[in-house]
């Protein structure tokens, strides 16, 4: 009798796992969850807001192909009705409209063609803008890296010039400006100048025009260049909308300058016939309407993210946000932790612009979801960070933050400070800030590496060194942050208890009892799930 019960229990476990496959796949497919299943090793990337499709689940010695047809039943999955309503709300702005918003009124003036760039770095000697944790040469090296991120762009020459206050009407005095002009004119093949300042403020726009007139080529700042990199890497609707929102300040600034030019010619303040508005007022109104439409679309997407987060929380999947300075190795680490072959890390800045979620297992067999985030960068204007707040909002709602550092980078300390400052500006909860796990990545590139900071976990994601220790640290932190319980339960093998535990908890060990009809099961389970277990099976 009990051997039959054991087989039935195993069938129940398999059936429960199959149901979990279907349920979890539906829940996660809207959030680029590449491997949503406890034993997944590989899967192709799923579109963040795509339709139903086929997905492969890889288990030891077995491969299943699952195809989920779109069901008309509102009760096919819990929360389905609210998801459908939200999808209908989102349809008010379709892909074509997003693409039109994304392609019209591109404000950077960089164009789509390739450039041979001359880089100018203003070295601030004193004052609040002076950088104390880095050097002019290291800042120049990062500027070169930004330019080289763009395919077919090249740096033909570069120069560092001293300045006192880069926000004045002119960045340089007459002497340095003359030196710079002569050097640019003597350098053959230059098509654009990259001024490595955060943002050409409105007070500098006249100076920018003077520079462009003097040198006969485009001049752009750090903000414009980073936005151009984002444009080239943007693939999803959300990324394109966020970039379009970040460009509004540039469009507004350009509009003011165009009106100044028109006023000088006597045309900026004239009323358009029959409208009662000046040309400037019409352009300003259209810009406000554009901004409102983008913000409304992003708010709908934000609500969708909130619903998906709620559904993940309902399934008790702990969320681990993996973040760090751009190109520190976040995606490589997540690939190493999850075995997800669909991830293709790139050795370039801002390769990741969208949140993607990937399932992995901890030593206790607990499934966690690793969230791959956009990389951070120093000297980014707050407007750009604010525009991506919808994406970075997921970090604030995670159970744990893993901060990855490129320990081989000469500016690793400065990069750490920048990342932590951005997190504070995003108002990340104190409980998350106090529990951050710091990871020192790329130790294989550091000769004679010695840990310099207590508590840091040394690893090489590429060489898969130190990952076991990191997984144990993550597991310990996740259990603390989520309040999960570790306990041993006695289950009846002639009931669906064991299958239920495999579905709703993390089963670590199963030991048969002497009577062959019961088993002792060691599990990690949330308090809510344990409450449901006791109520369902009347356990005291």
């Amino acid at each position: 009798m009990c051997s039959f019960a054991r087989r039935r229990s195993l069938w129940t476990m398999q059936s429960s796992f199959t149901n979990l496959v279907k349920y979890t796949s539906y829940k996660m497919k809207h959030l680029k969850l590449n491997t949503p299943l406890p034993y997944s090793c590989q899967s192709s990337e799923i579109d963040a807001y795509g339709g139903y499709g086929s997905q492969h689940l890889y288990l030891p010695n077995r491969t299943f192909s699952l195809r989920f047809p779109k069901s008309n039943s509102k009760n096919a999955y819990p929360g389905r009705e609210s998801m459908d309503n939200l999808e209908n709300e989102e349809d008010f702005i379709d892909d074509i409209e997003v693409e039109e918003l994304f392609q019209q009124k591109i404000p950077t003036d960089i164009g789509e063609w390739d450039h041979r760039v001359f880089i100018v770095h203003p070295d601030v000697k004193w004052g609040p803008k002076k950088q104390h944790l880095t050097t002019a040469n290291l800042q120049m090296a990062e500027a070169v890296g930004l330019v080289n991120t763009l395919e077919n762009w090249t740096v033909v020459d570069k120069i560092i010039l001293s300045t006192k206050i880069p926000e004045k009407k002119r960045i340089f005095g007459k002497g340095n400006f003359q030196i710079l002009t002569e050097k640019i004119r003597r350098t053959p093949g230059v098509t654009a100048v990259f001024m490595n300042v955060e943002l050409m403020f409105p007070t500098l726009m006249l100076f920018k025009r003077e520079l462009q007139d003097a040198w006969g080529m485009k001049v752009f700042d750090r903000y414009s260049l980073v936005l151009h990199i984002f444009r080239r890497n943007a693939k999803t609707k959300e990324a394109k909308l966020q970039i379009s929102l970040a460009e509004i300040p540039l469009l507004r600034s350009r509009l003011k300058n165009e009106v100044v030019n028109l006023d000088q010619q006597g045309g900026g303040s004239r009323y358009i016939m029959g409208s009662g508005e000046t040309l400037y007022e019409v352009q300003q109104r259209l810009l406000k309407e554009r901004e409102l439409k983008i913000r409304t679309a992003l708010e709908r997407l934000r609500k969708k993210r909130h619903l998906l987060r709620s559904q993940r929380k309902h399934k008790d999947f702990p969320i681990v946000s993996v973040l760090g300075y751009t190109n520190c190795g976040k995606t490589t680490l997540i690939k190493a932790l999850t075995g997800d072959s669909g991830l293709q890390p790139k050795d370039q800045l801002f390769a990741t612009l969208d949140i993607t979620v990937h399932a992995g297992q901890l030593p206790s067999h607990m499934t966690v979801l690793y969230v791959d985030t956009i990389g951070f960068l120093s000297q980014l204007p707050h407007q750009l960070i604010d525009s991506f707040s919808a994406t970075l909002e997921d970090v604030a709602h995670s159970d744990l933050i893993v901060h990855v550092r490129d320990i081989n980078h000469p500016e690793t300390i400065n990069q750490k400070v920048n990342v932590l400052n951005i997190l504070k500006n995003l108002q990340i909860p104190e409980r998350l800030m106090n529990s951050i796990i710091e990871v020192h990545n790329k130790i294989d590139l550091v000769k004679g590496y010695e840990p310099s900071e207590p508590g840091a976990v040394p690893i090489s994601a590429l060489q898969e060194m130190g990952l076991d220790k990191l997984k144990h640290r993550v597991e310990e932190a996740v259990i603390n942050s989520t309040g999960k319980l570790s306990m041993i339960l006695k289950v009846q093998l002639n009931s669906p208890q064991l299958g239920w535990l495999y579905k709703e908890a993390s089963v670590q060990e199963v030991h048969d009892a002497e009577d062959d009809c019961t088993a002792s099961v060691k599990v990690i389970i949330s308090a809510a799930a344990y409450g449901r277990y006791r109520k369902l099976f009347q356990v005291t």
Side-chain angles (χ1 to χ4, degrees):
M1 175 66 184
C2 284
S3 61
F4 170 76
R6 185 183 304 278
R7 288 197 301 272
R8 192 178 78 169
S9 179
L10 290 172
W11 177 87
T12 304
M13 288 161 49
Q14 187 178 22
S15 176
S16 298
F17 182 77
T18 303
N19 290 334
L20 179 62
V21 168
K22 294 180 180 178
Y23 182 83
T24 309
S25 297
Y26 169 77
K27 293 294 186 184
M28 301 307 168
K29 76 191 303 305
H30 293 280
L31 197 56
K32 276 196 172 178
L33 178 56
N34 292 15
T35 52
L37 306 166
Y39 298 93
S40 297
C41 295
Q42 304 177 34
S43 76
S44 57
E45 189 161 327
I46 305 172
D47 195 328
Y49 303 109
Y52 296 94
S54 63
Q55 179 184 352
H56 288 87
L57 161 67
Y58 291 84
L59 299 175
N61 302 321
R62 293 185 181 182
T63 302
F64 301 91
S65 181
L66 305 177
R67 183 171 291 277
F68 304 105
K70 190 165 184 176
S71 170
N72 293 323
S73 170
K74 291 181 179 179
N75 298 319
Y77 301 98
R80 174 63 183 271
E81 185 174 1
S82 56
M83 177 65 77
D84 286 343
N85 290 339
L86 203 54
E87 285 173 352
N88 292 334
E89 282 186 7
E90 187 199 347
D91 288 339
F92 84 100
I93 181 166
D94 58 25
D95 292 339
I96 296 175
E97 287 180 279
V98 171
E99 197 62 32
E100 287 177 354
L101 283 169
F102 188 59
Q103 295 300 337
Q104 70 181 195
K105 293 188 177 180
I106 299 174
T108 60
D109 292 331
I110 294 178
E112 291 302 315
W113 50 86
D114 305 324
H115 280 295
R116 291 168 53 81
V117 182
F118 190 107
I119 302 179
V120 181
H121 176 70
D123 182 22
V124 181
K125 287 302 182 183
W126 61 77
K129 290 293 180 178
K130 178 174 175 56
Q131 299 287 319
H132 296 281
L133 295 177
T134 185
T135 65
N137 286 327
L138 290 174
Q139 288 176 291
M140 174 61 83
E142 185 171 84
V144 171
L146 283 171
V147 173
N148 289 337
T149 295
L150 291 163
E151 190 176 0
N152 298 325
W153 282 45
T154 54
V155 177
V156 294
D157 206 348
K158 56 187 185 291
I159 188 172
I160 298 173
L161 288 175
S162 299
T163 185
K164 296 178 182 178
I165 306 175
E167 288 87 359
K168 292 198 304 183
K169 289 185 178 180
R170 283 176 171 77
I171 297 176
F172 304 110
K174 291 182 179 180
N176 277 340
F177 177 69
Q178 187 64 34
I179 293 172
L180 181 57
T181 300
E182 290 175 0
K183 187 168 180 61
I184 290 174
R185 286 175 177 171
R186 287 199 308 266
T187 306
V190 179
T191 62
V193 176
F194 171 31
M195 193 71 65
N196 192 29
V197 296
E198 187 176 297
L199 180 63
M200 299 286 266
F201 297 86
T203 54
L204 286 171
M205 295 308 292
L206 289 174
F207 179 56
K208 178 180 177 180
R209 195 176 302 116
E210 289 179 18
L211 296 180
Q212 292 182 154
D213 292 342
W215 301 333
M217 62 188 69
K218 297 291 183 184
V219 177
F220 43 84
D221 53 30
R222 196 177 178 89
Y223 189 63
S224 300
L225 184 63
V226 171
L227 271 180
H228 190 65
I229 295 171
F230 281 9
R231 274 191 158 272
R232 291 223 174 164
N233 291 343
K235 298 293 185 292
T236 65
K237 177 186 290 188
E238 188 168 11
K240 291 177 180 180
L241 285 170
Q242 289 177 127
I243 292 166
S244 298
L245 181 62
E247 291 172 341
I248 293 291
L250 294 181
L251 288 169
R252 193 166 282 128
S253 178
R254 189 169 75 179
L255 176 60
K256 288 180 181 178
N257 289 320
E258 288 174 352
V259 169
V260 169
N261 288 339
L262 285 171
D263 281 342
Q264 291 173 351
Q265 300 168 22
S269 57
R270 292 180 182 174
Y271 288 92
I272 298 176
M273 187 169 55
S275 69
E277 293 179 297
T278 64
L279 177 61
Y280 175 65
E281 288 169 342
V282 171
Q283 296 272 26
Q284 201 173 39
R285 175 171 54 80
L286 292 174
L287 195 56
K288 285 181 180 178
E289 290 173 0
R290 172 188 172 91
E291 182 178 4
L292 179 62
K293 188 166 189 176
I294 293 170
R295 288 189 182 277
T296 303
L298 283 172
E299 184 58 32
R300 298 293 173 91
L301 291 174
R302 189 192 297 266
K303 288 180 181 178
K304 193 166 191 174
R305 280 192 177 281
H306 177 71
L307 178 61
L308 291 167
R309 279 196 301 267
S310 299
Q311 292 168 342
R312 291 201 307 265
K313 289 291 185 183
H314 176 72
K315 291 304 297 177
D316 287 330
F317 289 130
I319 312 298
V320 180
S321 288
V322 182
L323 52 80
Y325 209 80
T326 184
N327 208 30
C328 67
K330 301 183 302 299
T331 305
T332 305
L333 174 59
I334 292 175
K335 182 175 183 177
L337 291 172
T338 63
D340 185 353
S341 63
L343 280 169
Q344 297 299 327
K346 297 178 181 178
D347 185 16
Q348 67 180 53
L349 306 182
F350 302 115
T352 301
L353 280 186
D354 297 287
I355 290 284
T356 57
V357 184
H358 314 267
Q361 276 203 314
L362 298 177
S364 65
H365 308 300
M366 185 195 313
T367 299
V368 295
L369 302 180
Y370 294 101
V371 179
D372 193 4
T373 62
I374 183 174
F376 296 166
L377 187 72
S378 65
Q379 292 182 285
L380 279 184
H382 67 86
Q383 298 100 319
L384 189 55
I385 297 170
D386 290 346
S387 299
F388 278 79
S389 61
T391 295
L392 294 170
E393 195 178 60
D394 282 322
V395 176
H397 291 87
S398 56
D399 298 300
L400 178 67
I401 292 175
V402 173
H403 175 200
V404 183
R405 290 174 57 189
D406 178 356
I407 206 64
N408 184 53
H409 197 284
E411 284 197 280
T412 183
I413 295 175
N414 189 37
Q415 290 179 353
K416 174 183 177 178
V417 171
N418 276 292
V419 169
L420 294 180
N421 284 339
I422 291 173
L423 290 177
K424 288 176 184 176
N425 291 337
L426 290 171
Q427 298 181 328
I428 300 299
E430 190 174 345
R431 65 173 179 84
L432 281 174
M433 295 295 293
N434 293 336
S435 62
I436 291 176
I437 295 178
E438 184 171 300
V439 173
H440 288 186
N441 191 23
K442 307 184 184 182
I443 60 170
D444 55 310
L445 302 178
V446 181
K447 192 173 182 179
Y449 169 81
E450 291 289 339
S452 57
E453 298 174 49
V457 182
I459 69 158
S460 169
L462 191 62
Q463 303 298 328
E464 299 191 0
M465 297 165 54
L467 297 186
D468 288 341
K469 182 178 180 181
L470 176 58
K471 287 180 180 179
H472 280 94
R473 281 285 303 276
V474 169
E475 180 173 277
E476 180 184 344
V478 163
I479 290 174
N480 288 336
S481 66
T482 58
K484 287 183 179 288
L485 309 171
S486 178
M487 56 178 59
I488 297 175
L489 301 174
K490 187 175 182 179
V491 303
Q492 298 292 327
L493 294 178
N494 58 355
S495 79
Q497 285 175 284
L498 186 57
W500 191 95
L501 288 172
Y502 267 99
K503 177 182 175 182
E504 300 292 339
S506 299
V507 177
Q508 296 180 278
E509 298 174 7
V510 179
H511 297 289
D512 293 338
E514 292 180 359
D515 58 10
D516 202 36
C517 286
T518 61
S520 295
V521 183
K522 185 178 181 181
V523 298
I524 294 178
I525 188 170
S526 69
Y530 182 56
R532 295 196 300 272
Y533 173 79
R534 293 181 61 185
K535 184 177 180 180
L536 181 63
F537 298 106
Q538 299 179 348
V539 176
T540 57

